Amino acid sequence: MTVSPLIWGITIVAIVALLAFDYFFHIRKAHVPTLREAAIWSSIYVGLAILFGILVWVFGGPTMGSEYFAGYITEKALSVDNLFVFLIIIASFRVPREDQQKVLLFGIVFSLIARTGFIFLGAALINSFAWVFYIFGLILLITAGNLLKPGAHNQEQTDNVMVRLAKKYFHTTDHYDGDKLFTMHEGKKALTPMLLVMLAIGGTDILFALDSIPAIFGLTQNVYIVFTATAFSLMGLRQLYFLIDGLLDRLIYLSYGLAAILAFIGVKLVLHALHENNLPFINGGEPVPVVEISTALSLSVIIGILLVTVVASLLSKAGKAQNAINNARRHAIDYLDLDYTADAAERERIYTLLTREEAQILEMDPKYRNKAKDVDKIREQIAEAHRQHKEYLGR
């Protein structure tokens, strides 16, 4: 089905309008969203994505509809994985909780712009060179392998090229000035950490696009479907961050699930490349008669892998232990350095979470509790947080 310029225009205007609404009605005034607010708006954005998919199915047909849903689910799963890195970046830059929404919205907008560029570049390459499918397939297989390595999400992501260049060539400060990008420091205009964290997220967004765009092109070559599935997967990511903040570490098998999905799509791409083959050193430049994987099968495999991954993670005792320990570590560190936020209620919020997680840890089987990395250091940080809180109450 060919999509008319009018439909393209309406779609782009609707997406821009949603982003503008998000900024002016939720982001402009800095605040910490409640769990209820995050849940409601996450549901609304998922509902809009599903409604759009139904319209595509009705007006574009079952093939186009199933391609959209397969692409949307895959991209949504990858975007959840991206939240791990966003969490690390935001934590390492000590972004005030009330300003985290603005950082996340910037990341979403930048990601959408970067991925749109890659989408049209990828479409142009595919239309001109069928062998690009081999490269896309290889990228996904390599990415799948990298996801299986220990420490797939680590703090090295925060020290990317854009941040290093900014710190090297511009005057920067370690202190926030509200949500300003620039401030006066030592009598000179300086970049604040707010701008640096946006550069860090922008840089990682480019790397994410290199993985996600080949993945969705492995499910459909319809540029409109690729664009809309990608856009809707990013919409609501900000609300999802606050909704599942603190629970991300619970999904201990997510990397394995995503690796399986990307490997599956990578194989699908290679098979498609063989079917369309025109490289002279493969089968004399003639197409290779291979089995091609249908969109319906792809959708079933993707949903099945995600269901198994999520259920296994949630039922895992090791997952519960890792979640509580990692959150306790994070909240102990936050409590010991509360200069990064102006929110007076933040102290009690963090301390309440810390005591709740400490209680969960004490109820665990010691074999899970003692497997944590730097367990003695975590205990010291928690003890120091208790000491400082007692001192604070005694003032």
Side-chain angles (χ1 to χ4, degrees):
M1 174 184 171
T2 303
V3 179
S4 69
L6 176 62
I7 298 299
W8 266 104
I10 292 172
T11 304
I12 292 171
V13 168
I15 290 171
V16 171
L18 284 172
L19 290 171
F21 175 84
D22 220 10
Y23 176 77
F24 287 105
F25 289 91
H26 294 119
I27 310 297
R28 199 172 186 182
K29 184 179 180 181
H31 72 286
V32 180
T34 64
L35 188 63
R36 181 175 180 273
E37 178 187 339
I40 289 172
W41 284 103
S42 291
S43 301
I44 288 173
Y45 280 113
V46 171
L48 288 173
I50 293 173
L51 177 61
F52 180 82
I54 292 171
L55 292 175
V56 170
W57 195 295
V58 171
F59 292 102
T63 299
M64 196 170 177
S66 58
E67 287 178 352
Y68 166 81
F69 280 113
Y72 172 74
I73 293 170
T74 300
E75 292 297 301
K76 197 68 175 178
L78 289 170
S79 71
V80 171
D81 190 54
N82 296 351
L83 287 181
F84 279 102
V85 181
F86 285 174
L87 180 64
I88 291 170
I89 292 174
I90 287 172
S92 66
F93 279 94
R94 320 297 295 156
V95 179
R97 190 167 175 81
E98 60 270 23
D99 293 320
Q100 289 177 7
Q101 293 195 90
K102 184 169 289 187
V103 173
L104 290 167
L105 184 62
F106 168 82
I108 290 168
V109 172
F110 189 91
S111 182
L112 185 56
I113 293 171
R115 295 184 193 204
T116 299
F118 279 112
I119 286 169
F120 286 103
L121 176 62
L125 289 172
I126 286 171
N127 289 334
S128 302
F129 311 102
W131 50 263
V132 169
F133 286 110
Y134 286 114
I135 295 177
F136 281 3
L138 183 61
I139 289 172
L140 294 185
L141 291 172
I142 292 173
T143 303
N146 288 335
L147 282 173
L148 296 176
K149 293 179 180 178
H153 309 100
N154 54 63
Q155 297 203 11
E156 292 177 4
Q157 299 275 0
T158 65
D159 189 27
N160 61 37
V161 175
M162 297 174 74
V163 173
R164 290 199 299 271
L165 288 175
K167 288 183 175 180
K168 183 177 181 180
Y169 293 105
F170 297 96
H171 183 49
T172 62
T173 175
D174 293 330
H175 303 288
Y176 287 92
D177 186 3
D179 60 359
K180 293 179 182 177
L181 303 182
F182 300 92
T183 189
M184 295 303 295
H185 179 63
E186 297 178 349
K188 295 188 293 183
K189 197 171 187 179
L191 308 182
T192 69
M194 183 62 69
L195 181 57
L196 295 179
V197 70
M198 288 183 175
L199 289 174
I201 285 181
T204 54
D205 276 334
I206 294 174
L207 297 177
F208 291 151
L210 292 174
D211 297 337
S212 67
I213 297 309
I216 194 168
F217 267 119
L219 298 168
T220 177
Q221 284 81 61
N222 186 314
V223 178
Y224 182 76
I225 295 299
V226 172
F227 173 75
T228 52
T230 300
F232 276 106
S233 72
L234 292 171
M235 304 300 291
L237 193 60
R238 174 184 64 81
Q239 293 85 351
L240 187 63
Y241 174 90
F242 288 96
L243 184 62
I244 63 176
D245 180 22
L247 296 177
L248 286 171
D249 289 320
R250 181 73 176 273
L251 301 176
I252 62 172
Y253 301 125
L254 180 62
S255 291
Y256 297 103
L258 290 176
I261 289 172
L262 292 180
F264 170 77
I265 298 175
V267 170
K268 183 178 186 293
L269 274 170
V270 172
L271 290 174
H272 182 72
L274 290 170
H275 190 267
E276 301 288 331
N277 179 64
N278 57 11
L279 293 178
F281 53 85
I282 297 178
N283 199 36
E286 296 297 320
V288 180
V290 293
V291 175
E292 285 214 82
I293 300 171
S294 68
T295 303
L297 178 59
S298 298
L299 182 58
S300 301
V301 169
I302 291 166
I303 292 174
I305 291 174
L306 285 176
L307 284 174
V308 171
T309 299
V310 171
V311 171
S313 295
L314 294 178
L315 294 178
S316 168
K317 290 183 179 179
K320 293 178 183 178
Q322 180 173 308
N323 181 56
I325 291 169
N326 287 345
N327 285 335
R329 177 198 287 117
R330 179 158 56 94
H331 289 126
I333 292 171
D334 285 348
Y335 191 87
L336 296 174
D337 182 19
L338 281 168
D339 295 335
Y340 71 96
T341 181
D343 186 356
E346 186 74 351
R347 176 180 294 275
E348 285 304 320
R349 186 190 74 84
I350 292 177
Y351 189 75
T352 300
L353 290 171
L354 177 60
T355 54
R356 187 185 305 161
E357 287 145 6
E358 185 182 16
Q360 292 177 4
I361 293 171
L362 292 174
E363 292 175 359
M364 290 175 192
D365 189 318
K367 71 178 180 180
Y368 297 119
R369 189 167 63 215
N370 296 328
K371 278 185 178 180
K373 186 179 178 182
D374 300 327
V375 64
D376 292 331
K377 185 177 180 181
I378 296 171
R379 289 188 180 117
E380 290 174 7
Q381 290 168 334
I382 293 174
E384 179 62 18
H386 283 306
R387 189 194 68 76
Q388 288 194 18
H389 188 70
K390 186 176 180 181
E391 184 180 287
Y392 170 76
L393 293 176
R395 291 176 185 173

